[in-house]
Amino acid sequence: MAQKPAIPKGTRDFLPNEVAKRSYLFESIKTVFKRYGFAPIETPSFELSSTLMGKYGDEGDRLIFRILNSGEKMRKADLEALAADNLPKFASSLAEKALRYDLTVPFARFVVQHQNELNFPFKRYQIQPVWRADRPQHGRYQEFFQCDADVVGSDSLLCEVEFVQIFDDVLTHLNIPSFTIKINNRKILSGIAEVCGESDRIVEMTVAIDKLDKIGEEGVLNELEQKGLSSTAIEKIKPLFQFSGSNLEKLQLMRTYLAQSEVGMKGIEELEYVINNIDNMGLKRADLEFDLTLARGLNYYTGAIFEVKANNVNMGSICGGGRYDDLTGLFGLKGLSGVGISFGADRIYDVMTELDLFPSSVTKGLKVLFLHFGEAEVAKCLTLARSLRENNIDCEVYPSGAKIQKQMKYANDRAVQYVVLLGEEELKSETLILKNMSTGEQEVIDYKAFNTKITEL
RNA sequence: GAGAAUGUAGCUCAGUUGGUUAGAGCGCUGGUUUGUGGUACCAGAGGUCGCGGGUUCGAGACCCGUCUUUCUCCCCA
């Protein structure tokens, strides 16, 4: 035990059947993305620190994995900053590169850098790992995959409508039994802050309101007070907790509440457009819910905000997203609106494992295994195997002359679908025994009929 | 980054107030069966008790440090 090797915390190895399930997951997501016209891109695993730092708030910066400078670059270390106890500055002088923290910010950088080669509106999807120096917990890893789709260069709300459909399509296809797409709009949150006269504290305010389902009304009010919101503001926030009913009813209540806020009314209008369009089309399995407490920490969102939760499972959100009007502005390209979503593949995997939702076909094993009887028989098996492979059938010849019992057990453990037994007798009569491993049935077949027979199975 | 729990065989876990040689089930290997797996029976292998230090005549158990995993907070997929 002591000498056993280990991998860093929050990382995982994947065994063959896990990889099979994960590929199924990625392929399902990819298929839907493609269906809606998104094209794949890839970006490097690591970026310049300056690209990532400061884009995710102070909390986010703390969680970015930084790559230590090597060789002569070490001399750039800012010892004065160290002496002055300015650790962030010291760290920056030691690490010019960092592992990507999400796919959205690198994508913004990508768009700015390749703006002349892209056609706008540009729709891309991207499935790659990201890294966070977070403390690992259930459903929380240091290395995990994000599956993002974004549209950049269009401020049409049809994009939002499309993304709601994509959430619904993917998760329905994956057979997640019940899930809720929560939607809100940053402009509504701004409107609330404005109505309360606390526009400056919008972040503190929304972060507190976001915790409603966790700490309850009382908890939220306490936190708001601690964060220094005025008592008149808190009085104005209180009625929000009472808002309930259907999405349209809630919109109606908010319309009255936000009547004095121009930005708030704009948010209502946007949200209503999306909800109406979705209502007209209907969703397969998802529940679309206007949740005015939904905030999300990333402060680059400016319009719609999405979050998806699987119901009846203990797991944080499995998807997220939203609109960001000025993300590329951070890299010098103004006036380009973007909106995007992200599937948390690792969490969806955990949910599907917990609910046993992977179809059995995903982990189906090798189609044919030829058992090994002896040198003469193996020569024939090699010829037959080659011919199967020409017909795109996966097969394998057991590599050594172990006891047949052991070879059968190997076939069983590998979940092999069919086993071919070809021994002395069969060799003489130019036949073979084909055994179906799941039913246990077996039949004698001519060499000539073998290819056709196996292709039909 | 703050607080708490956890770690014993490949896996899931027992192990009394500190006391001889640390156990079980499953899995693994071999056999019953040298041409038949998933069942049954028999036998066997496998552990410096997470790691490092300390207390003690004696530590899997107590103390300190450290790492892992898990939980709460923070934040998030």
Side-chain angles (χ1 to χ4, degrees):
Chain A
M1 280 294 274
Q3 280 75 26
K4 237 173 139 180
I7 54 176
K9 65 176 174 185
T11 65
R12 294 153 297 159
D13 285 326
F14 300 109
L15 274 65
N17 68 350
E18 292 170 315
V19 171
K21 290 191 221 166
R22 287 168 64 85
S23 314
Y24 166 75
L25 190 54
F26 291 135
E27 286 307 315
S28 303
I29 294 170
K30 251 188 230 176
T31 306
V32 176
F33 284 166
K34 278 199 274 194
R35 194 82 78 226
Y36 283 79
F38 291 83
I41 67 157
E42 291 186 10
T43 65
S45 301
F46 53 96
E47 295 271 349
L48 295 174
S49 293
S50 54
T51 302
L52 304 180
M53 299 303 286
K55 307 298 191 298
Y56 308 101
D58 292 343
E59 274 303 314
D61 281 359
R62 210 190 69 207
L63 300 179
I64 292 173
F65 270 110
R66 322 200 59 178
I67 298 174
L68 187 63
N69 285 342
S70 45
E72 287 298 308
K73 279 189 176 173
M74 294 271 259
R75 295 190 199 284
K76 289 189 182 175
D78 187 343
L79 297 176
E80 282 174 27
L82 180 63
D85 208 33
N86 185 344
L87 294 179
K89 195 176 176 199
F90 177 61
S92 297
S93 71
L94 280 177
E96 293 172 353
K97 299 181 287 278
L99 291 175
R100 66 169 167 246
Y101 176 87
D102 72 355
L103 300 178
T104 308
V105 168
F107 174 56
R109 187 227 86 219
F110 172 98
V111 168
V112 174
Q113 219 172 320
H114 299 279
Q115 51 186 284
N116 296 326
E117 303 154 70
L118 304 176
N119 298 312
F120 295 100
F122 179 60
K123 299 172 79 172
R124 82 86 168 85
Y125 77 83
Q126 189 172 354
I127 297 181
Q128 291 192 276
V130 303
W131 294 267
R132 296 186 186 178
D134 205 353
R135 182 163 297 195
Q137 274 183 40
H138 179 63
R140 178 182 289 205
Y141 307 100
Q142 292 208 341
E143 178 183 62
F144 60 97
F145 271 74
Q146 286 192 333
C147 311
D148 276 30
D150 289 78
V151 181
V152 115
S154 164
D155 45 25
S156 166
L157 291 167
L158 288 175
C159 301
E160 277 85 339
V161 172
E162 202 171 83
F163 282 129
V164 171
Q165 290 182 276
I166 290 176
F167 282 137
D168 186 41
D169 280 4
V170 170
L171 297 175
T172 300
H173 175 82
L174 293 174
N175 207 18
I176 309 288
S178 166
F179 53 97
T180 305
I181 302 172
K182 294 185 179 180
I183 185 169
N184 194 7
N185 195 298
R186 188 77 174 197
K187 296 190 178 85
I188 291 179
L189 295 168
S190 301
I192 295 173
E194 201 176 302
V195 165
C196 297
E198 293 279 3
S199 289
D200 298 344
R201 291 215 183 77
I202 177 167
V203 173
E204 291 89 332
M205 200 191 81
T206 53
V207 164
I209 293 178
D210 190 46
K211 293 179 192 160
L212 179 63
D213 54 346
K214 214 171 191 174
I215 59 179
E217 191 177 326
E218 199 95 335
V220 173
L221 294 176
N222 283 339
E223 184 160 335
L224 287 171
E225 206 177 332
Q226 271 176 23
K227 291 275 163 69
L229 266 80
S230 70
S231 51
T232 49
I234 292 176
E235 280 307 312
K236 286 205 164 149
I237 287 172
K238 271 186 182 170
L240 290 174
F241 301 134
Q242 312 307 324
F243 286 11
S244 59
S246 71
N247 291 336
L248 295 179
E249 283 164 357
K250 279 190 269 187
L251 276 171
Q252 197 53 46
L253 288 167
M254 285 309 287
R255 210 189 306 276
T256 316
Y257 183 88
L258 292 173
Q260 301 305 312
S261 164
E262 196 184 323
V263 61
M265 292 308 282
K266 182 85 172 69
I268 299 278
E269 209 177 289
E270 291 184 9
L271 192 55
E272 187 167 30
Y273 180 89
V274 175
I275 289 177
N276 279 337
N277 270 284
I278 292 295
D279 279 352
N280 284 341
M281 271 183 300
L283 291 171
K284 292 172 177 166
R285 200 178 272 190
D287 213 7
L288 181 67
E289 182 191 333
F290 167 30
D291 179 354
L292 65 105
T293 69
L294 175 61
R296 297 183 59 77
L298 294 179
N299 37 32
Y300 50 65
Y301 289 125
T302 53
I305 312 172
F306 303 111
E307 187 166 291
V308 183
K309 280 215 56 169
N311 297 326
N312 313 318
V313 189
N314 171 29
M315 181 63 73
S317 56
I318 53 174
C319 308
R323 181 173 283 279
Y324 41 90
D325 278 326
D326 203 28
L327 198 51
T328 57
L330 294 171
F331 299 107
L333 180 59
K334 305 265 185 218
L336 207 54
S337 185
V339 55
I341 58 169
S342 179
F343 286 81
D346 298 86
R347 284 192 177 175
I348 296 173
Y349 179 94
D350 289 349
V351 167
M352 290 180 70
T353 304
E354 192 179 327
L355 299 178
D356 195 20
L357 298 177
F358 285 102
S360 57
S361 57
V362 169
T363 46
K364 201 151 60 165
L366 185 72
K367 183 107 185 219
V368 180
L369 176 75
F370 292 86
L371 297 197
H372 190 130
F373 281 83
E375 282 310 311
E377 291 89 342
V378 158
K380 185 63 204 170
C381 288
L382 286 175
T383 317
L384 292 169
R386 178 181 173 161
S387 153
L388 287 190
R389 288 170 182 145
E390 292 295 316
N391 287 313
N392 301 320
I393 288 167
D394 302 340
C395 63
E396 186 176 314
V397 179
Y398 194 89
S400 57
K403 286 170 62 172
I404 294 306
Q405 186 179 216
K406 190 177 174 180
Q407 298 187 44
M408 285 298 288
K409 187 162 163 42
Y410 172 80
N412 194 53
D413 294 345
R414 287 269 313 263
V416 169
Q417 296 169 57
Y418 296 93
V419 160
V420 167
L421 297 103
L422 198 163
E424 211 176 334
E425 289 171 33
E426 289 78 18
L427 197 58
K428 255 183 245 163
S429 60
E430 302 208 340
T431 59
L432 54 81
I433 293 170
L434 182 65
K435 178 170 175 125
N436 179 329
M437 288 298 281
S438 54
T439 64
E441 288 164 9
Q442 56 185 51
E443 58 180 314
V444 180
I445 297 176
D446 276 5
Y447 290 164
K448 283 176 213 146
F450 179 55
N451 258 344
T452 338
K453 175 77 188 169
I454 203 83
T455 310
E456 284 165 3
L457 291 170

